């Protein structure tokens, strides 16, 4: 106030006042008096002044001088020159305007050019900007209620085109303001109101203003779609009704007439149909279909959040169409509540429609390849769930359209290869699996799913990565389907996959990736190669499980055809050949032994490297073991236990042809965890009359019907076996590709079994000739596992001794011989006394006292004893024939091992005979004692 002219000089601030006002401003202390005095004096000499104040003072000074000059004249200016006060004011306004324009021009000249970057020191960057929505929202929040009431009332009664256009502009701007201001209630209210003015939700004559409302609604959808959110629902419902009117205008019925599962009891009256046709023609003439298409094609310009909002509302409208309730949001009354339902149809009087479902396919097609895969995966999760629900719909036409749409989208999606570390294909193809799993799905729908899978594999197998898992799961489900047609189709797809797309499924490993042997083999792989190895191993295991699911291992009310099971067993030999040829490599990490359904499942007790190798073998070996001891009957043409025998033949071919791939520890695991348990389960599970048959004496057998073990297989290059391989290329039931070593042996074994051959596989080609004599003999007990399968199973053990045990030398004697001999002893003599199990059971009611519970010793029936003893002689004879070919010391060791085993077995047999004799004597004495007590005779004394 030192220079304020409105303050009297005596009241202006003095140096003392200035010092007093600034006491304690330096963190509670005073600034130096000299410093403050200097500031006061400088302000007194140079007052603060703004440019506008200086200009105002100069202007005031000049005007006062002019007034003094004018006052010197006797006559006033207007009297002499004819001017007045108005002219003077006008002149003053003109000058001020020119000054303002000049100042504005200078500001524009000082403005930085477009595109230049401001420096952080410029003042304009330090100004806080207020978003326009924050300014508009409070005002619009107060006015939108009265505004919509006014616009609606005026639009309802208006007939003038100008007034209608103004009202519609008001709706457009109100929707835009509420959308950008995030006022969902106001936005939904304006959009709903505009949608109802289209009259698409009711049956009445359309006026020109109703058609203009339609055009306005479509323009809002195209221009302001980004922020519409849930307001898309009434817009899309109107578009759905537009599609219906377009059909009427073209003289066609709505699609609901073609999709109705049962004929409707009522039909649209002629006046109503005529009115809808007239409305459709009027709309078709005024609203271009391109405008409707643009609503959906412009979704590519929406953000991720915007397109998700659009798709969610489009799905909701699609669900309403399928339910026959498409006018609820735009008429205020739902079809389900306003119209009665037709009994048995499940729909309102409109019936199901698929207009929005078709548009959903288009939107997915537009956005599929322009959206990032991560964004698209979240979008597809919603879309895919909708397709899965519609695919299970009770209406066959609706569900088939949904599945066909899925097929078309899948073809386009799979055209782009998938990267190693992603699983987008599995997510995209998941709706097929969901439909297949649905217990309420119809047979024709499941068949259509399998046809789609087949078509995709035929056309795009080279691009499939994570999608294989979905397809293998679908094929596995087909094996348990109630329909034989579905089961047959599922296995046919697997067979075609092996015949035509094996290279796509099992690509040749890259150079260096096959070097898994050695200490540092896996260390040379990149992270991407390791992931690819693990993924390929997982897919291979799922493929094995898919084929093995067609092998009947349990009794069922819905059994698999035996032919399908036998063909699936042939697949297992093909998979073993792939492993042996290193087209499938074991994983490099992640093995586990606890969860059979999780990746990396393997056997316990092995080294890490051996465990990883057995990951790709376990599903095959366990599946074949389950088939070996299957409890399901599998008799055809009087020949029984075909699945059980086929499983053993497949196991035999794999182990004999590729046994060299396994180490001694792996062989021990295979014998103790796979083969021997399966053989024993099969023997103990036989409840046929064969187990009760006993002969009069060891030399007179009543069991001449027992089967024989298989002959030793010929080598792969055997001339007769190669002739058989050539003949299979022309057979409809055999693969068209070259057969591997194990697969060829299985095919020949099955041909010999099918045609009743003598077991000589070198002559199997003769059985394949047209018109070959089938020498199949009827078996008296075809369902007996002991009579039909046990000789082949126990014969497999002696085959393994000759093919693998002798080559392993000392390890063979330590691993193979004791394990196999224990099984032969068990069948020949029974469980040894050392293996009689005693369980200690703690009974808490008796203060924790331990009680011994004896478990009965398992005793083989006579049929098993005869089979076991016969195999004893066969094993010894074959080993003795092979001993001369061994090293002298190795031969002596084998002879000693055999003699020791035979001696131990004979001792056990003698102990068993003594035990049986003692039991008989004890039983006889007890019987005589009981007789003495009854009649008083001295029968014991007579003895």
């Amino acid at each position: 106030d030192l220079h304020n002219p409105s303050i009297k000089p005596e009241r202006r601030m003095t140096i003392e006042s200035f010092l007093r006002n600034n006491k304690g401003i330096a963190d509670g202390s005073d600034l130096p008096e000299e410093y403050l005095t200097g500031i006061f004096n400088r302000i007194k000499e140079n007052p603060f002044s703004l440019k506008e104040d200086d200009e105002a003072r100069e202007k005031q000074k000049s005007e006062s001088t002019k007034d003094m000059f004018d006052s010197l004249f006797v006559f006033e200016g207007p009297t002499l020159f004819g001017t007045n006060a108005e002219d003077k004011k006008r002149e003053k306004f003109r000058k001020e305007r020119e000054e303002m324009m000049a100042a504005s021009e200078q500001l524009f000249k000082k403005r930085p050019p477009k595109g230049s970057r401001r420096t952080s020191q410029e003042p304009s960057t330090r100004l806080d900007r207020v978003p326009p929505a924050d300014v508009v929202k409070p005002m619009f929040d107060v006015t939108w209620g009265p505004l919509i009431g006014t616009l609606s009332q005026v639009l309802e009664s208006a007939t003038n085109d100008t007034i209608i256009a103004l009202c519609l502009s008001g709706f457009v701007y109100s929707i835009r303001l509420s959308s950008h201001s995030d006022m969902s209630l106001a936005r939904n209210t304006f959009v709903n109101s505009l949608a109802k003015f289209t009259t698409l939700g009711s049956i009445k004559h359309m006026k020109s203003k109703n058609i203009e409302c339609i055009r306005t609604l479509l323009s809002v959808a195209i221009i302001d779609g980004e922020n519409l959110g849930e307001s898309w629902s009434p817009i899309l419902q109107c578009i759905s009704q537009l599609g219906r009117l377009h059909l009427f205008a073209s003289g066609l019925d709505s699609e609901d007439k073609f999709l109705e599962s049962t004929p409707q009891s009522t039909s649209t009256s002629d006046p109503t149909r005529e009115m809808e046709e007239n409305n459709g023609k009027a709309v078709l003439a005024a609203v271009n279909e391109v405008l409707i298409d643009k609503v959906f094609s412009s979704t590519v310009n929406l953000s991720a959040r915007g397109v998700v909002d659009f798709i969610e509302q489009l799905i909701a409208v699609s669900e309403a169409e399928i339910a026959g309730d498409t006018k609820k949001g735009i008429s205020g009354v739902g079809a389900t509540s306003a119209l009665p339902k037709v009994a048995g149809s499940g729909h309102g009087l409109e019936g199901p429609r698929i207009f929005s479902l078709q548009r959903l396919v288009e939107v997915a097609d537009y956005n599929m390849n322009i959206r990032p895969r991560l964004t698209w995966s979240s979008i597809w999760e919603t879309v895919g769930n909708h397709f899965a629900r519609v695919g299970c719909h009770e209406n066959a036409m609706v569900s088939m359209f949904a599945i066909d749409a899925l097929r078309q989208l899948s073809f386009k999606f799979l055209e782009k290869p998938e990267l190693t570390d992603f699983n987008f294909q599995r997510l995209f193809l998941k709706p097929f699996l969901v439909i297949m799993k649905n217990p309420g799905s119809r047979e024709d729908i499941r068949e259509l799913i399998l046809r789609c899978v087949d078509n995709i594999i035929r056309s795009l197998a080279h691009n499939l990565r994570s999608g294989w898992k979905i397809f293998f799961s679908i094929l596995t489900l087909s094996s348990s389907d109630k329909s034989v047609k579905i089961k047959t189709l599922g296995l046919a797809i697997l067979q075609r996959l092996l015949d035509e797309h094996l290279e796509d499924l099992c690509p040749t490993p890259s150079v260096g990736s096959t070097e898994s042997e050695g200490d540092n083999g896996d260390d040379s792989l990149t992270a991407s190669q390791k992931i690819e190895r693990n993924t390929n191993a997982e897919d291979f295991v799922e493929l094995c499980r898919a084929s093995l699911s067609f092998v009947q291992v349990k009794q069922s009310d819905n059994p698999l055809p035996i032919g399908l099971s036998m063909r699936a067993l042939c697949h297992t030999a093909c998979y073993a050949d792939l492993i042996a040829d290193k087209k499938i490599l074991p994983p490099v990490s992640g093995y586990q032994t606890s969860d059979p359904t999780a990746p990396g499942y393997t056997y316990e007790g092995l080294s890490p490297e051996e465990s990883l190798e057995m990951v790709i073998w376990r599903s095959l070996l366990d599946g074949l073991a389950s088939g070996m001891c299957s409890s399901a009957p599998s008799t055809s043409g009087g020949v029984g236990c075909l699945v059980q025998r086929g499983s053993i033949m497949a196991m035999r071919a794999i182990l004999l042809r590729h046994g060299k791939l396994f180490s001694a520890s792996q062989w021990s695991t295979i014998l103790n965890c796979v083969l021997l348990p399966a053989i024993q389960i099969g023997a103990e599970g036989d409840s046929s009359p064969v187990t009760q048959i006993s002969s009069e004496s060891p030399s007179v057998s009543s069991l001449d019907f027992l089967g024989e073990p298989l002959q030793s297989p010929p080598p792969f290059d055997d001339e007769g076996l190669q002739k058989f391989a050539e003949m299979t290329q022309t057979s409809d039931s055999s693969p068209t590709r070259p057969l591997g070593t194990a697969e060829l042996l299985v095919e020949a074994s099955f041909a010999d079994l099918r045609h009743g051959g003598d077991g000589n596989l070198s002559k199997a080609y003769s059985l394949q000739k047209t018109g070959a004599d089938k020498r199949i003999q009827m078996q008296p007990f075809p369902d007996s596992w002991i009579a039909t399968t046990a000789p082949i199973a126990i014969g497999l053990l002696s085959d393994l001794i000759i093919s693998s045990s002798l080559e392993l030398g000392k390890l063979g004697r330590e691993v193979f011989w004791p394990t196999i001999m224990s099984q032969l002893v068990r069948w020949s003599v029974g469980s040894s006394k050392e293996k009689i199990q005693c369980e200690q059971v703690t009974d808490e009611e008796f203060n924790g006292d331990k009680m011994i519970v004896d478990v009965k010793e398992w005793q083989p029936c006579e049929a098993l004893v005869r089979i076991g003893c016969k195999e004893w002689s066969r094993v010894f004879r074959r080993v003795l024939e092979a001993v001369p070919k061994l090293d002298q010391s190795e031969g002596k060791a084998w002879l000693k091992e055999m003699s020791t085993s035979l001696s131990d077995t004979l001792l056990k047999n003698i102990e068993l005979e003594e035990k049986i004799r003692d039991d008989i004597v004890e039983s006889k004495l007890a019987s005589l004692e009981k007789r003495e007590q009854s009649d008083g005779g001295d029968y014991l004394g007579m003895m």
Side-chain angles (χ1 to χ4, degrees), residues 378-390:
S378 62
I379 295 173
W380 181 253
E381 187 173 2
T382 304
V383 177
N385 290 337
H386 178 62
F387 275 112
R389 290 192 298 271
V390 178

PDB file of all heavy atoms in Angstrom, residues 378-390:
ATOM      1  N   SER A 378      -8.949 -63.326 -23.765  1.00  0.00           N
ATOM      2  CA  SER A 378      -9.968 -62.927 -22.786  1.00  0.00           C
ATOM      3  C   SER A 378     -11.317 -62.700 -23.465  1.00  0.00           C
ATOM      4  O   SER A 378     -12.368 -62.989 -22.883  1.00  0.00           O
ATOM      5  CB  SER A 378      -9.525 -61.655 -22.052  1.00  0.00           C
ATOM      6  OG  SER A 378      -9.379 -60.579 -22.953  1.00  0.00           O
ATOM      7  N   ILE A 379     -11.276 -62.189 -24.693  1.00  0.00           N
ATOM      8  CA  ILE A 379     -12.531 -62.001 -25.438  1.00  0.00           C
ATOM      9  C   ILE A 379     -13.142 -63.349 -25.796  1.00  0.00           C
ATOM     10  O   ILE A 379     -14.342 -63.585 -25.638  1.00  0.00           O
ATOM     11  CB  ILE A 379     -12.269 -61.166 -26.704  1.00  0.00           C
ATOM     12  CG1 ILE A 379     -11.825 -59.744 -26.332  1.00  0.00           C
ATOM     13  CG2 ILE A 379     -13.503 -61.117 -27.600  1.00  0.00           C
ATOM     14  CD1 ILE A 379     -11.395 -58.911 -27.514  1.00  0.00           C
ATOM     15  N   TRP A 380     -12.285 -64.272 -26.270  1.00  0.00           N
ATOM     16  CA  TRP A 380     -12.796 -65.569 -26.722  1.00  0.00           C
ATOM     17  C   TRP A 380     -13.331 -66.401 -25.570  1.00  0.00           C
ATOM     18  O   TRP A 380     -14.204 -67.263 -25.778  1.00  0.00           O
ATOM     19  CB  TRP A 380     -11.709 -66.327 -27.461  1.00  0.00           C
ATOM     20  CG  TRP A 380     -12.198 -67.650 -27.950  1.00  0.00           C
ATOM     21  CD1 TRP A 380     -11.889 -68.876 -27.453  1.00  0.00           C
ATOM     22  CD2 TRP A 380     -13.136 -67.869 -29.005  1.00  0.00           C
ATOM     23  NE1 TRP A 380     -12.565 -69.862 -28.134  1.00  0.00           N
ATOM     24  CE2 TRP A 380     -13.339 -69.276 -29.091  1.00  0.00           C
ATOM     25  CE3 TRP A 380     -13.827 -67.037 -29.870  1.00  0.00           C
ATOM     26  CZ2 TRP A 380     -14.196 -69.836 -30.029  1.00  0.00           C
ATOM     27  CZ3 TRP A 380     -14.679 -67.599 -30.808  1.00  0.00           C
ATOM     28  CH2 TRP A 380     -14.858 -68.983 -30.873  1.00  0.00           C
ATOM     29  N   GLU A 381     -12.831 -66.200 -24.389  1.00  0.00           N
ATOM     30  CA  GLU A 381     -13.337 -66.965 -23.258  1.00  0.00           C
ATOM     31  C   GLU A 381     -14.838 -66.744 -23.090  1.00  0.00           C
ATOM     32  O   GLU A 381     -15.586 -67.685 -22.817  1.00  0.00           O
ATOM     33  CB  GLU A 381     -12.597 -66.574 -21.984  1.00  0.00           C
ATOM     34  CG  GLU A 381     -12.949 -67.440 -20.791  1.00  0.00           C
ATOM     35  CD  GLU A 381     -12.082 -67.153 -19.583  1.00  0.00           C
ATOM     36  OE1 GLU A 381     -11.218 -66.251 -19.668  1.00  0.00           O
ATOM     37  OE2 GLU A 381     -12.262 -67.817 -18.560  1.00  0.00           O
ATOM     38  N   THR A 382     -15.274 -65.492 -23.282  1.00  0.00           N
ATOM     39  CA  THR A 382     -16.706 -65.186 -23.198  1.00  0.00           C
ATOM     40  C   THR A 382     -17.453 -65.722 -24.412  1.00  0.00           C
ATOM     41  O   THR A 382     -18.514 -66.342 -24.282  1.00  0.00           O
ATOM     42  CB  THR A 382     -16.909 -63.671 -23.080  1.00  0.00           C
ATOM     43  OG1 THR A 382     -16.180 -63.175 -21.955  1.00  0.00           O
ATOM     44  CG2 THR A 382     -18.375 -63.326 -22.907  1.00  0.00           C
ATOM     45  N   VAL A 383     -16.889 -65.500 -25.594  1.00  0.00           N
ATOM     46  CA  VAL A 383     -17.541 -65.946 -26.827  1.00  0.00           C
ATOM     47  C   VAL A 383     -17.612 -67.473 -26.865  1.00  0.00           C
ATOM     48  O   VAL A 383     -18.642 -68.056 -27.228  1.00  0.00           O
ATOM     49  CB  VAL A 383     -16.785 -65.394 -28.049  1.00  0.00           C
ATOM     50  CG1 VAL A 383     -17.416 -65.901 -29.346  1.00  0.00           C
ATOM     51  CG2 VAL A 383     -16.789 -63.873 -28.036  1.00  0.00           C
ATOM     52  N   GLY A 384     -16.508 -68.135 -26.515  1.00  0.00           N
ATOM     53  CA  GLY A 384     -16.478 -69.590 -26.554  1.00  0.00           C
ATOM     54  C   GLY A 384     -17.478 -70.229 -25.608  1.00  0.00           C
ATOM     55  O   GLY A 384     -18.100 -71.250 -25.951  1.00  0.00           O
ATOM     56  N   ASN A 385     -17.652 -69.667 -24.428  1.00  0.00           N
ATOM     57  CA  ASN A 385     -18.639 -70.196 -23.485  1.00  0.00           C
ATOM     58  C   ASN A 385     -20.048 -70.099 -24.066  1.00  0.00           C
ATOM     59  O   ASN A 385     -20.879 -71.003 -23.865  1.00  0.00           O
ATOM     60  CB  ASN A 385     -18.557 -69.446 -22.155  1.00  0.00           C
ATOM     61  CG  ASN A 385     -17.287 -69.758 -21.396  1.00  0.00           C
ATOM     62  OD1 ASN A 385     -16.662 -70.788 -21.595  1.00  0.00           O
ATOM     63  ND2 ASN A 385     -16.884 -68.860 -20.511  1.00  0.00           N
ATOM     64  N   HIS A 386     -20.314 -69.010 -24.774  1.00  0.00           N
ATOM     65  CA  HIS A 386     -21.639 -68.866 -25.392  1.00  0.00           C
ATOM     66  C   HIS A 386     -21.842 -69.915 -26.482  1.00  0.00           C
ATOM     67  O   HIS A 386     -22.903 -70.554 -26.560  1.00  0.00           O
ATOM     68  CB  HIS A 386     -21.778 -67.460 -25.968  1.00  0.00           C
ATOM     69  CG  HIS A 386     -23.087 -67.226 -26.673  1.00  0.00           C
ATOM     70  ND1 HIS A 386     -24.305 -67.301 -26.026  1.00  0.00           N
ATOM     71  CD2 HIS A 386     -23.372 -66.938 -27.975  1.00  0.00           C
ATOM     72  CE1 HIS A 386     -25.286 -67.059 -26.891  1.00  0.00           C
ATOM     73  NE2 HIS A 386     -24.741 -66.842 -28.078  1.00  0.00           N
ATOM     74  N   PHE A 387     -20.842 -70.114 -27.324  1.00  0.00           N
ATOM     75  CA  PHE A 387     -20.958 -71.135 -28.365  1.00  0.00           C
ATOM     76  C   PHE A 387     -21.129 -72.524 -27.746  1.00  0.00           C
ATOM     77  O   PHE A 387     -21.863 -73.357 -28.291  1.00  0.00           O
ATOM     78  CB  PHE A 387     -19.714 -71.107 -29.260  1.00  0.00           C
ATOM     79  CG  PHE A 387     -19.789 -70.088 -30.365  1.00  0.00           C
ATOM     80  CD1 PHE A 387     -18.952 -68.990 -30.362  1.00  0.00           C
ATOM     81  CD2 PHE A 387     -20.688 -70.227 -31.398  1.00  0.00           C
ATOM     82  CE1 PHE A 387     -19.009 -68.041 -31.370  1.00  0.00           C
ATOM     83  CE2 PHE A 387     -20.761 -69.296 -32.426  1.00  0.00           C
ATOM     84  CZ  PHE A 387     -19.914 -68.192 -32.406  1.00  0.00           C
ATOM     85  N   ALA A 388     -20.456 -72.777 -26.639  1.00  0.00           N
ATOM     86  CA  ALA A 388     -20.595 -74.080 -25.987  1.00  0.00           C
ATOM     87  C   ALA A 388     -22.015 -74.288 -25.474  1.00  0.00           C
ATOM     88  O   ALA A 388     -22.571 -75.381 -25.591  1.00  0.00           O
ATOM     89  CB  ALA A 388     -19.587 -74.197 -24.845  1.00  0.00           C
ATOM     90  N   ARG A 389     -22.598 -73.239 -24.901  1.00  0.00           N
ATOM     91  CA  ARG A 389     -23.980 -73.351 -24.409  1.00  0.00           C
ATOM     92  C   ARG A 389     -24.952 -73.560 -25.570  1.00  0.00           C
ATOM     93  O   ARG A 389     -25.848 -74.408 -25.500  1.00  0.00           O
ATOM     94  CB  ARG A 389     -24.363 -72.105 -23.610  1.00  0.00           C
ATOM     95  CG  ARG A 389     -23.668 -71.970 -22.276  1.00  0.00           C
ATOM     96  CD  ARG A 389     -24.306 -70.882 -21.433  1.00  0.00           C
ATOM     97  NE  ARG A 389     -24.207 -69.573 -22.064  1.00  0.00           N
ATOM     98  CZ  ARG A 389     -23.201 -68.733 -21.903  1.00  0.00           C
ATOM     99  NH1 ARG A 389     -22.191 -69.065 -21.127  1.00  0.00           N
ATOM    100  NH2 ARG A 389     -23.187 -67.552 -22.512  1.00  0.00           N
ATOM    101  N   VAL A 390     -24.769 -72.778 -26.631  1.00  0.00           N
ATOM    102  CA  VAL A 390     -25.680 -72.906 -27.767  1.00  0.00           C
ATOM    103  C   VAL A 390     -25.480 -74.251 -28.463  1.00  0.00           C
ATOM    104  O   VAL A 390     -26.437 -74.842 -28.973  1.00  0.00           O
ATOM    105  CB  VAL A 390     -25.456 -71.732 -28.747  1.00  0.00           C
ATOM    106  CG1 VAL A 390     -26.367 -71.870 -29.962  1.00  0.00           C
ATOM    107  CG2 VAL A 390     -25.718 -70.412 -28.055  1.00  0.00           C
TER     108      VAL A 390
END
